[in-house]
Amino acid sequence: MDAVLQALSDGSRRIVLDTLKDGPATVGDLAALLPIARPGVSRHLRVLRDAGLVDVRREAQFRVYSLRPEPLAQVDEWLGHYRSLWEQRLDALHTEVARGKRARRTRT
Amino acid sequence: MSNDTQADKHVVGTLRSVDGMGVVRMEDRYDTGIDDLWSALTEPDRLARWIADVEGDLRVGGEFHASFTSGWEGSGRVDMCEPPRRLRVTMSPGQQDQTVIEAELVPEGDQTSLAVEERGLPLDELAAHGAGWQAHV
């Protein structure tokens, strides 16, 4: 999970994942999207692979990368638990703010 | 104010990790001034109506007991209090399930935006329990 979040914390790697959402791509395709040198692209791809976010397979002389959505679903589920908890609290705070306003109006 | 309640919803949730622990950040905007929102975040009688019953020493460094509306109960400590902008408390200080909750208020015209961050959430729980979160909590 930590590896997944670290992998997601980088802008270049998020571009790669966004691209792979639309379908598999070769290293060349991905490198063309990023304003960095090829070794940097390979490093990013390795981080994504280690985090389980991408799969790689060989097709002829190309290495083809594809998205593995499972870790993203896990992150979403984990966040969803805390998100709904805080959403309930923040909604209840809206109610309290409205109550405070009504109370002040009645006093004046 | 708009009648469209959806348009009034500004809750944004993000997740990142720091030192192997999870950080959840939520942002929302409130239809009131910063001083009023601060009072709703710090006065026990107001806190009780939306998040938790708190009892004890609410000064910086002070320890208090909190019973959250979610059912969680435990101790807390006030780490930072900069009215009316920043508030930071540590829940379960010194214990394994210690988390830090920080609130930041920023005035925006007649409204006030609020960002709440909870840090120190156990990411490994997910790896260990997978889809069993609901059963676990």
Side-chain angles (χ1 to χ4, degrees):
Chain A
M1 182 77 165
D2 195 24
V4 174
L5 291 174
Q6 296 290 348
L8 293 174
S9 67
D10 179 88
S12 295
R13 292 196 289 268
R14 286 199 300 270
I15 290 175
V16 169
L17 293 174
D18 264 350
T19 307
L20 294 179
K21 260 195 332 221
D22 300 330
T26 65
V27 183
D29 295 336
L30 298 169
L33 295 168
L34 301 173
I36 51 175
R38 193 63 169 260
V41 176
S42 299
R43 260 198 307 279
H44 283 313
L45 290 171
R46 193 163 58 238
V47 172
L48 289 170
R49 208 171 54 224
D50 290 348
L53 284 162
V54 301
D55 266 336
V56 61
R57 65 173 193 279
R58 195 167 272 284
E59 256 177 37
Q61 74 271 43
F62 299 112
R63 289 165 76 76
V64 178
Y65 284 82
S66 55
L67 185 68
R68 269 193 84 242
E70 290 87 348
L72 292 173
Q74 284 196 330
V75 167
D76 195 50
E77 187 188 344
W78 190 93
L79 176 60
H81 166 74
Y82 287 100
R83 189 206 292 265
S84 64
L85 191 61
W86 277 106
E87 261 173 9
Q88 282 164 24
R89 289 170 179 167
L90 295 180
D91 274 351
L93 178 55
H94 276 290
T95 307
E96 169 54 21
V97 164
R99 194 210 58 82
K101 284 187 154 182
R102 274 198 308 277
R104 279 195 301 281
R105 268 202 300 276
T106 358
R107 274 203 302 274
T108 49
Chain B
M1 214 181 121
S2 160
N3 289 322
D4 184 349
T5 51
Q6 282 304 310
D8 288 331
K9 270 189 105 51
H10 299 283
V11 178
V12 177
T14 57
L15 171 64
R16 66 177 201 276
S17 72
V18 173
D19 299 331
M21 300 298 272
V23 179
V24 167
R25 181 183 174 88
M26 302 289 292
E27 293 171 27
D28 204 350
R29 197 185 301 162
Y30 289 86
D31 196 17
T32 192
I34 192 168
D35 291 317
D36 180 53
L37 191 61
W38 178 261
S39 101
L41 290 168
T42 51
E43 290 174 13
D45 59 330
R46 298 196 74 179
L47 284 168
R49 281 192 290 263
W50 69 274
I51 186 166
D53 277 310
V54 293
E55 236 174 75
D57 185 356
L58 294 177
R59 292 168 300 183
V60 173
E63 297 231 357
F64 58 88
H65 180 85
S67 308
F68 282 78
T69 52
S70 62
W72 189 88
E73 212 174 308
S75 62
R77 185 186 64 221
V78 183
D79 294 329
M80 190 215 298
C81 180
E82 295 174 359
R85 287 175 185 274
R86 287 176 80 194
L87 178 68
R88 191 172 72 214
V89 298
T90 296
M91 300 309 301
S92 303
Q95 291 167 52
Q96 211 184 355
D97 63 340
Q98 169 175 310
T99 63
V100 173
I101 301 175
E102 184 162 340
E104 198 174 345
L105 294 74
V106 178
E108 284 184 21
D110 294 340
Q111 301 186 316
T112 307
S113 73
L114 171 69
V116 177
E117 238 183 48
E118 186 167 6
R119 300 191 280 265
L121 300 165
L123 291 173
D124 55 344
E125 303 249 338
L126 178 90
H129 297 270
W133 245 114
Q134 258 125 27
H136 180 64
V137 295

